[in-house]
Amino acid sequence: MCSSIFENLYVLYSQSMKVYKFGGASVKNAAAVKNVGDILMKFGSNELLIVVSAMGKTTNALEQLAKAYLNNYPNKGQIYSEIKKFHDDIISELIQGKQSHGYDDIENLFIELECELEMEPASDPDLVYDQIVSYGEIFSTRIVSTYLNEIGCKNRWIDARNFIATDNTYRDAKVDWDLTQKLIHQKLNPIVKKQMVITQGFIGKNNDNLTTTLGREGSDYSAAIFANCLNANELTIWKDVAGVMNADPKLFPDAIKIEHLSYPRAIEMAFYGATIIHPKTIQPLQQKQIPLFVKSFINPDATGTCVGVEIEKEDDVPAYILKKDQTLLSIKCKDYSFMSEDRLSNLFALFNQYQIKVNLMQNSAISFSVCINQHETRVQDLMQALALHYDIKVNQHVELFTISHAKNDSVPAYVANHKVILEQKTRNTIQWVITANLTH
Ligand code: ASP
Ligand code: MG
């Protein structure tokens, strides 16, 4: 039943405007780039915009480079050379000894980056970070676009920064939807209607004409922005997994693939910590009812998962989700007074001020517990502010385990093998805060 719905949707939307997204793992080496070529030869079409991330772990390496540049570490040149060699090796393997000038401008991009590293860094480290780290997506899209053109998969390379307009929040830029919509509608739409387009995920530009980034793993979000503004008929994210699973198969060997997932359920799973889809991706798709297909680039003919509007026969399977790198704070008033509403509102004002993401909370007479994302500096700053009025108990490096759409009360083996610090149950969600280490 579900797979036939999936197939019908896929056939229905395969004749029209599409957006594809290929992440870092799908372009991690020359063989992977060739595989992308094979997929596009088979599933490519004219009205297709392809969003590509940086190759493999390039963004991590560029983060190291930005740090070395900002702190003038002696290994700056070495990190740069490693990044360059990684890309040069991929290009050589794609060319396979043949004469090709198609990749020459990538050499120029590396020279441009090298020159940037010679200059005195600007005073804002986040601004510097975005200018350096964004090179990853520029390199990858140049290489992929050139390779595809050389194998006869004709496409046009486009700079995403000319279309994704953002504010100045470097490393976590907010999209200026009105301007982005206008730019994509007026300038990009006519191009995509004519030919296949390759562009970058993750990056945008602010009105100071400087590059911004949308936050780590933000390429899915970029793809959703393009899909929304182009009024695309579908977005397909090509992954190294079969689709959206109901648990991480490394932790749960019985994990199963979900055929159809509603938008609210996908948002819920992303909120609890499922990493398969970036949390911001669903909303722009849901707004225009654009279906999202999560498919395997290893097995491209398989159906994958379809995220879309709720259907009658929704797969109502429980999802088991682990969120790592958490901190549990238990906050008590110094004078043992009640956790009254004014105190709670004061606490939330502090969470907001220090940009703390609350993943679970629990209130008792004199104490209030929150499970929050571990963040080097923010949690320290928050604790200093709290210490003025409250006694705080801290459990660092804990994990949050959630079962959504739970069907019974049974405790999964993963939880049973760890020490439980806090438990919370609602109608169909069960959550545990557990220590990160095995108890035996
Ligand atoms: N290359 C960026 C990152 O690794 C964006 C992405 O892959 O989605 O965070
Ligand atoms: Mg990446």
Side-chain angles (χ1 to χ4, degrees):
M1 171 75 185
C2 283
S3 74
S4 75
I5 286 169
F6 184 106
E7 275 155 20
N8 289 343
L9 280 173
Y10 210 75
V11 170
L12 184 68
Y13 289 114
S14 60
Q15 299 304 322
S16 34
M17 172 83 75
K18 292 195 251 184
V19 176
Y20 281 178
K21 183 257 171 175
F22 288 95
S26 65
V27 288
K28 67 176 183 201
N29 54 33
V33 174
K34 288 180 186 171
N35 182 51
V36 169
D38 293 345
I39 290 178
L40 293 173
M41 284 299 209
K42 191 160 178 196
F43 298 98
S45 59
N46 273 347
E47 295 189 31
L48 174 63
L49 176 112
I50 300 161
V51 174
V52 184
S53 302
M55 298 180 136
K57 304 270 178 245
T58 301
T59 308
N60 293 355
L62 285 163
E63 278 191 346
Q64 293 305 316
L65 181 62
K67 197 168 169 193
Y69 170 53
L70 281 161
N71 297 293
N72 204 16
Y73 291 156
N75 64 346
K76 181 177 86 176
Q78 193 199 330
I79 302 174
Y80 166 84
S81 304
E82 280 166 12
I83 296 171
K84 181 163 186 321
K85 181 168 184 311
F86 171 74
H87 289 87
D88 284 347
D89 287 350
I90 292 178
I91 295 171
S92 315
E93 216 181 311
L94 291 173
I95 296 175
Q96 282 175 326
K98 288 192 287 275
Q99 269 287 335
S100 168
H101 293 293
Y103 299 93
D104 290 355
D105 57 347
I106 295 154
E107 189 63 31
N108 292 332
L109 285 167
F110 271 101
I111 295 170
E112 193 185 295
L113 171 59
E114 202 176 4
C115 292
E116 219 160 297
L117 298 171
E118 295 298 313
M119 293 190 298
E120 190 61 30
S123 57
D124 178 352
D126 291 343
L127 180 154
V128 172
Y129 173 101
D130 280 2
Q131 309 320 301
I132 307 267
V133 166
S134 50
Y135 271 94
E137 269 65 17
I138 303 291
F139 297 147
S140 68
T141 50
R142 281 282 185 201
I143 295 173
V144 171
S145 168
T146 306
Y147 171 74
L148 292 174
N149 275 324
E150 297 208 332
I151 61 162
C153 190
K154 293 294 166 209
N155 70 88
R156 178 163 163 189
W157 182 91
I158 290 278
D159 192 329
R161 292 170 292 193
N162 294 332
F163 301 100
I164 306 285
T166 74
D167 71 359
N168 289 351
T169 321
Y170 296 105
R171 297 188 70 156
D172 190 23
K174 305 288 168 292
V175 173
D176 176 341
W177 277 95
D178 288 342
L179 184 53
T180 301
Q181 186 97 46
K182 196 169 136 204
L183 291 167
I184 292 180
H185 186 70
Q186 290 179 355
K187 303 215 169 95
L188 186 59
N189 197 45
I191 301 174
V192 185
K193 286 230 179 279
K194 270 193 256 137
Q195 78 235 83
M196 188 192 285
V197 166
I198 306 277
T199 195
Q200 309 78 44
F202 184 51
I203 66 174
K205 190 166 78 179
N206 61 22
N207 53 13
D208 292 332
N209 230 356
L210 287 169
T211 304
T212 53
T213 64
L214 304 175
R216 285 303 307 266
E217 308 303 329
S219 295
D220 287 0
Y221 181 41
S222 300
I225 299 166
F226 280 116
N228 176 300
C229 298
L230 286 168
N231 288 316
N233 298 89
E234 68 158 86
L235 165 62
T236 300
I237 298 185
W238 297 89
K239 290 258 180 196
D240 55 358
V241 288
V244 179
M245 311 287 285
N246 76 327
D248 179 349
K250 282 185 227 117
L251 299 177
F252 284 83
D254 298 341
I256 54 165
K257 193 194 77 182
I258 304 177
E259 296 288 330
H260 188 280
L261 202 58
S262 66
Y263 295 119
R265 194 116 201 247
I267 290 173
E268 183 187 85
M269 284 175 66
F271 174 81
Y272 290 134
T275 49
I276 180 127
I277 306 165
H278 188 278
K280 287 184 184 164
T281 310
I282 303 298
Q283 209 251 336
L285 300 176
Q286 192 261 340
Q287 194 201 12
K288 297 228 169 133
Q289 309 270 291
I290 301 167
L292 164 66
F293 297 96
V294 180
K295 290 181 52 123
S296 159
F297 61 73
I298 302 157
N299 190 5
D301 289 312
T303 50
T305 295
C306 171
V307 181
V309 288
E310 264 164 287
I311 55 168
E312 224 176 286
K313 287 263 182 229
E314 167 126 20
D315 296 6
D316 191 27
V317 289
Y320 301 85
I321 306 156
L322 181 68
K323 203 172 171 86
K324 292 188 173 181
D325 302 322
Q326 301 291 296
T327 297
L328 181 71
L329 297 182
S330 297
I331 305 160
K332 268 195 188 106
C333 299
K334 279 194 192 294
D335 59 2
Y336 284 83
S337 57
F338 285 137
M339 262 301 162
S340 57
E341 282 67 19
D342 61 333
R343 290 206 180 259
L344 287 172
S345 83
N346 169 253
L347 288 178
F348 277 94
L350 289 173
F351 298 153
N352 188 30
Q353 183 182 339
Y354 292 100
Q355 292 176 276
I356 299 290
K357 168 109 178 36
V358 175
N359 297 317
L360 171 144
M361 55 189 142
Q362 193 157 295
N363 196 14
S364 71
I366 52 168
S367 113
F368 183 66
S369 299
V370 273
C371 185
I372 60 181
N373 287 356
Q374 187 106 30
H375 186 286
E376 266 172 68
T377 50
R378 287 181 199 164
V379 176
Q380 285 308 323
D381 293 347
L382 169 76
M383 279 171 41
Q384 268 183 14
L386 288 172
L388 297 174
H389 304 287
Y390 303 95
D391 287 329
I392 319 156
K393 205 170 153 204
V394 193
N395 291 89
Q396 264 166 343
H397 309 293
V398 294
E399 296 177 346
L400 176 62
F401 192 98
T402 303
I403 308 182
S404 80
H405 292 229
K407 296 284 178 283
N408 54 48
D409 280 356
S410 63
V411 177
Y414 187 85
V415 174
N417 286 334
H418 292 75
K419 186 168 172 259
V420 174
I421 313 175
L422 188 153
E423 182 177 330
Q424 196 172 77
K425 279 185 196 167
T426 59
R427 230 158 297 181
N428 62 3
T429 307
I430 314 178
Q431 295 188 287
W432 293 270
V433 177
I434 54 181
T435 51
N437 299 322
L438 285 171
T439 46
H440 47 81

